[in-house]
Amino acid sequence: MDAKTHLPDAQTITQVTHWTDRLFSFRVTRPQSLRFRSGEFVMIGLMGDNGKPLLRAYSIASPAWDDELEFYSIKVPDGPLTSRLQHIKVGDEIILRPKPVGTLVHDALLPGKRMWFLATGTGLAPFASLMREPESYEKYDQLIMMHTCREMAELEYGRQLVESLKDDPLIGELVDNKLLYYPTTTREKFHHMGRITDNLTSGKVFTDLGLPVMNCNEDRAMVCGSLAFNLEVKNILEQFGLTEGANSNPQQFVVEKAFVGDGI
Ligand code: FAD
Ligand code: A2P
């Protein structure tokens, strides 16, 4: 009998792209019943050797209106899930629990003028969804996508996505005027360099983009990276006068971990 038919909540892989030896993205069929807000995450995985599902949290990188679901993933060499998940091919099945949750949603923020998406590494994923979400452009005059990785190759998924938005029939025209993309590297020479934290505190990003320094009246932010990154950015945003919010208490910025680090 075909083992595939035994997977609970099975979805079929429709596309896989490898970006570097540490990063890949893939698309899967979308359960008909699945409703989510752009920016949320779900549990996905594979069946473990012990016959139990091996699941991990993954931000949905596609927008809520898309027919399929997209994910952007790390490859951890010894990672229980991604050491196997990195080998998936079109036609394979994964498990997807259709219970989306998360704090990186528009509902968790008070209205504002500018929205800052601040991400390192795979923390880009929720913003890959939100940058394709029409509501992002309806709610804000400007969106600023700051994404930082060690090397240029690690920025490529985000770069191509931003590039493709200009031709998107749904939001192409909005994006042209409203989305400011500010990618930086920290360990390879590039036209813009430096950690997001440093570019915010030095004011370089505001000068480069011709924007006023962040303030609580006009600016809103969503943050997604390692725990250390999130904590540093949270402190910086608070120094700019912004207050952290949540679904139950909308404020001026929200934070979500891109992964749970070793020992945390
Ligand atoms: P794990 O045992 O889960 O992790 C092993 C170690 O690898 C971790 O201790 C950590 O040091 C490192 N690590 C794990 N994930 C990452 C990462 N993304 N970037 C850098 N280092 C990492 N991962 C994604 O690739 N894409 C996502 O969209 C994504 N969304 C997430 C959303 C939330 C809310 C959370 C909590 C985690 C998310 N993760 C995401 C991480 C994901 O859940 C897994 O940790 C990851 O897929 C690795 O699984 P694993 O079983 O191979 O290794
Ligand atoms: P750096 O190269 O200076 O460490 P990683 O690949 O380790 O997940 O890091 C992804 C990106 O996030 C890197 O460019 C890294 O910069 C940056 N980074 C890591 N930790 C922090 C932090 N605490 N604050 C700001 N940026 C960080």
Side-chain angles (χ1 to χ4, degrees):
M1 198 184 291
D2 184 356
K4 282 181 180 178
T5 55
H6 291 294
L7 278 185
D9 295 328
Q11 297 301 323
T12 306
I13 304 293
T14 60
Q15 193 183 316
V16 183
T17 308
H18 291 272
W19 299 94
T20 70
D21 57 359
R22 289 183 64 229
L23 294 167
F24 70 116
S25 61
F26 55 94
R27 292 176 68 85
V28 299
T29 51
R30 177 173 175 169
Q32 272 192 342
S33 59
L34 178 64
R35 298 280 172 275
F36 69 98
R37 293 177 293 176
S38 293
E40 288 186 314
F41 68 88
V42 286
M43 304 300 291
I44 65 170
L46 297 169
M47 194 54 85
D49 295 335
N50 59 1
K52 290 187 183 154
L54 173 59
L55 301 173
R56 292 286 185 268
Y58 267 82
S59 295
I60 302 174
S62 47
W65 53 261
D66 202 329
D67 290 342
E68 293 183 337
L69 299 174
E70 185 170 310
F71 297 97
Y72 181 47
S73 180
I74 191 83
K75 304 174 195 176
V76 183
D78 303 321
L81 179 66
T82 56
S83 60
R84 291 175 51 204
L85 191 68
Q86 62 179 288
H87 300 296
I88 50 166
K89 303 226 161 3
V90 171
D92 289 351
E93 288 183 339
I94 62 162
I95 303 166
L96 189 150
R97 294 273 192 260
K99 295 196 180 71
V101 285
T103 55
L104 303 180
V105 290
H106 283 304
D107 298 348
L109 292 172
L110 297 171
K113 188 172 178 186
R114 284 179 295 272
M115 166 64 89
W116 294 78
F117 293 147
L118 309 176
T120 59
T122 60
L124 180 84
F127 307 126
S129 172
L130 284 158
M131 279 193 285
R132 293 185 265 191
E133 170 57 58
E135 190 183 356
S136 301
Y137 301 90
E138 285 154 17
K139 286 207 155 150
Y140 296 92
D141 291 351
Q142 284 177 308
L143 302 186
I144 304 101
M145 177 73 246
M146 291 183 81
H147 184 211
T148 298
C149 296
R150 295 179 183 197
E151 297 164 7
M152 282 158 63
E154 296 167 331
L155 294 168
E156 194 56 18
Y157 169 76
R159 192 196 69 76
Q160 287 191 22
L161 189 141
V162 170
E163 187 66 29
S164 72
L165 291 180
K166 293 182 191 131
D167 302 321
D168 189 298
L170 195 60
I171 50 173
E173 280 181 29
L174 298 172
V175 171
D176 241 0
N177 306 318
K178 290 197 166 183
L179 179 63
L180 302 176
Y181 177 48
Y182 195 88
T184 61
T185 56
T186 49
R187 303 195 190 188
E188 185 183 10
K189 203 167 170 348
F190 186 54
H191 59 77
H192 282 120
M193 293 191 67
R195 288 182 161 199
I196 286 172
T197 42
D198 293 338
N199 284 318
L200 287 172
T201 47
S202 69
K204 186 173 188 310
V205 62
F206 308 119
T207 310
D208 285 349
L209 297 177
L211 296 175
V213 172
M214 229 185 245
N215 66 82
C216 63
N217 295 326
E218 296 177 311
D219 294 287
R220 303 292 174 259
M222 295 189 183
V223 184
C224 192
S226 65
L227 185 65
F229 171 78
N230 288 357
L231 285 173
E232 283 188 44
V233 174
K234 175 179 151 75
N235 281 334
I236 293 167
L237 296 179
E238 286 173 350
Q239 280 165 28
F240 285 132
L242 279 67
T243 306
E244 185 171 1
N247 272 290
S248 55
N249 175 28
Q251 290 292 337
Q252 289 138 356
F253 74 92
V254 278
V255 176
E256 196 144 79
K257 282 194 282 283
F259 58 90
V260 181
D262 293 310
I264 296 170

